[in-house]
Amino acid sequence: MERDALLTYLQTTGTSFAIDLVAALAIFVIGRWVISLVHRLSIKAMERAKVEPLLIKFLGNILRTLLLIVVVLAAISQLGIQTTSLIAVLGAAGLAVGLALQGSLANFAAGVLVIIFRPYKIGDYVEAGGVAGVIDDVQIFTTELKTGDNRKIIVPNGQMMSGAITNYSSHDTRRVDLVASVGYDADIDVVRRVLEEVVAKDARVLESPAPNIRMSAMLDSSVNWIVRPWVKASDYWDVYWEMTEEIKRRFDAEGISIPFPQRDVHVYHHDEQKAEKSGL
């Protein structure tokens, strides 16, 4: 009888546990699907509300993480585990882990600061944290950048916010800074005319602010001219490269030399030095 009772108990308990396990798995699977649905709907709602893309991604990641925690706790509760005690244990463990992972918490805080102050947004080209690239994504703890040669760089948010941030995309216009070096024999008026014609010929150069073309320095081997037109930020590099090439082409056509570093070297013959010393 005792054996039969034990078998009956085990069968009942096993069946009950199996049902709870299946229910827990169902809660987890369905919960994951619901999380995905809620995440997509929230993203679309924020996009319709024209929320900043950077904020959309950040809030979306936090929402998905919080919902996943709720689903996991619900699944565990279905198995008969007391979630109240579990939450207390997790809280104590979280405190210990938090002390051990202060850097991660600092990265999270830095991510919040990025959202609040918005020093950059998705699609901006920035220099920060010792790297440069286009902001591709902002996670809870990290920022992802894409370089010009299509490399993916993942930088902790704390590192991104720990120093100066140079955002090249924050304004619609940028100034192109070129330096043209010519020889001392070049006619000043001709050089100025050529540079002005090169700038005026490029339709991408903005009329306001007006381009600045000035002689800037007289060095040992060359006279330097600055050429500083204003363009749309999207045209910066195309104008920089093409205008540099056009200046070289026009200098060649006008016979304006671009000097190389020069140095006068005086060579004295040994006999001449002896003659100088003897007074001859």
Side-chain angles (χ1 to χ4, degrees), residues 93-106:
L95 178 61
V97 172
L99 293 175
L101 301 177
Q102 295 182 22
S104 297
L105 295 177

Side-chain angles (χ1 to χ4, degrees), residues 119-120 123-128 131-133 165-174 232-234 236-237:
Y120 49 78
D124 283 356
Y125 182 83
V126 303
E127 285 184 8
V131 299
I165 299 175
T166 303
N167 190 334
Y168 294 97
S169 305
S170 60
H171 299 294
D172 295 332
T173 60
R174 286 186 63 186
K232 293 181 179 179
S234 58
Y236 179 87
W237 285 112

